[in-house]
Amino acid sequence: MRLAAAALASTSLLALAPGGPPTLPGQMADTGGGSQLITAQAPRVDSTSGTLTWWNRRDGHWVKAGSAAARFGAKGLAEGGSRKQGSNTTPTGLYDLPFAFGIKAAPAGTALRYRRVREESWWCQDNDSRSYNRWTEPRPADCRASESEHLIAYERQYAYALVVGFNYERPVRGRGAGIFLHVDGAGATAGCVSVSQDAMRRILGWVDPAKGPHMAIGTVSGGTAITRY
C-alpha cells in the first residue's frame, strides 16, 4: 500500500472509531427517543438556506442515511416557543411528524400515514377558527379562505409534504400554523423547510412511524442552536 493510501485508510478508520467526534444527533440534548431523526440546520438565525440530513440510529450510534440542500423562511429562523404567525420565520425546536400528504400519489415504500390532496383540502390558519392549524375537508364556515391555504393550489410545493408537529398538538393562537417539510418553490419559504422533489421522495420512502421519527430545526450556534433541542 502506498503511503498516501495508507494515511487515507487510517484517517477513515479514525472517523469511524467510537472515540471520534460525535455526529450532529450525538451532540443534541434530545432526539425524541426514536431511532430516526431529520435535522434541518442553518448557519445563522437570518439564513434562508442550509442542510437537511436524515439519520438512523444503529447499535447505539447515529448513521447518516441521506442529505440535501434546504431552504428556510424568508426572514430566517425563530425560536419556536416565541415565534409569531406571519413572521415568515421557520420555527426552531424538536418536533414529531404527525402525517404526510401530497398532490401526487405517495412514493413507493411510504409507511407514514399519507393523505392525498383533493380540491376541497385546506389547511386552516385562521386564529378565530376551531380548526386552527388543522387539515380540513371541506373548509369550515368559521375558517376564512383568506386566512388559510388551499393545498391543491400549491402544485409544486405540495407535490409531497410532511407535517411538522410545530404548534400542532395543542395549538396556541398567533404562534403559527401550517409548518411543513415540502418540495422547493422558487425561493425561500413562508416558514416551512423545503428540499428538492427527489429528496422528498427519498425521505417519504425512508421514514418509518414505528421508529419514532422526529425533526429538529436549528442553527449551528447561539440561542437557536440545533444542539439545544
Side-chain angles (χ1 to χ4, degrees):
M1 184 182 292
R2 291 179 301 162
L3 182 60
L8 181 60
S10 177
T11 301
S12 298
L13 287 171
L14 285 172
L16 294 171
T23 59
L24 180 57
Q27 301 173 52
M28 291 172 58
D30 187 8
T31 57
S35 58
Q36 284 190 334
L37 178 70
I38 300 172
T39 56
Q41 189 178 43
R44 302 174 308 279
V45 73
D46 60 350
S47 298
T48 59
S49 62
T51 303
L52 186 128
T53 308
W54 49 107
W55 309 81
N56 292 311
R57 187 164 179 80
R58 297 175 182 162
D59 301 322
H61 301 284
W62 287 101
V63 180
K64 184 187 294 187
S67 185
R71 290 172 175 166
F72 299 96
K75 295 295 180 65
L77 297 86
E79 170 60 46
S82 57
R83 179 185 182 270
K84 301 298 182 183
Q85 184 162 326
S87 62
N88 288 333
T89 55
T90 298
T92 62
L94 178 68
Y95 306 107
D96 62 355
L97 302 168
F99 64 93
F101 68 89
I103 293 171
K104 295 186 176 183
T110 300
L112 195 66
R113 183 165 70 100
Y114 189 91
R115 299 189 70 170
R116 193 78 182 269
V117 173
R118 302 188 296 177
E119 179 62 35
E120 61 268 35
S121 303
W122 290 76
W123 197 277
C124 184
Q125 300 179 356
D126 190 334
N127 282 285
D128 296 326
S129 174
R130 290 172 294 178
S131 300
Y132 178 69
N133 202 19
R134 287 293 184 271
W135 173 298
T136 64
E137 283 186 2
R139 179 175 54 83
D142 73 341
C143 184
R144 292 168 290 174
S146 61
E147 298 293 323
S148 304
E149 283 194 346
H150 192 197
L151 299 178
I152 204 164
Y154 298 87
E155 183 176 359
R156 178 173 171 177
Q157 292 93 330
Y158 296 157
Y160 306 108
L162 266 173
V163 176
V164 177
F166 166 73
N167 201 31
Y168 187 77
E169 186 175 354
R170 296 181 180 86
V172 176
R173 264 74 176 169
R175 185 162 292 171
I179 300 299
F180 313 127
L181 170 60
H182 63 69
V183 176
D184 282 333
T189 73
C192 296
V193 180
S194 70
V195 293
S196 70
Q197 182 166 286
D198 176 67
M200 277 304 307
R201 289 181 61 88
R202 287 187 286 147
I203 291 165
L204 289 175
W206 162 82
V207 70
D208 183 350
K211 296 181 178 179
H214 283 74
M215 181 170 176
I217 304 169
T219 54
V220 171
S221 60
T224 54
I226 200 168
T227 52
R228 292 181 59 243
Y229 304 111

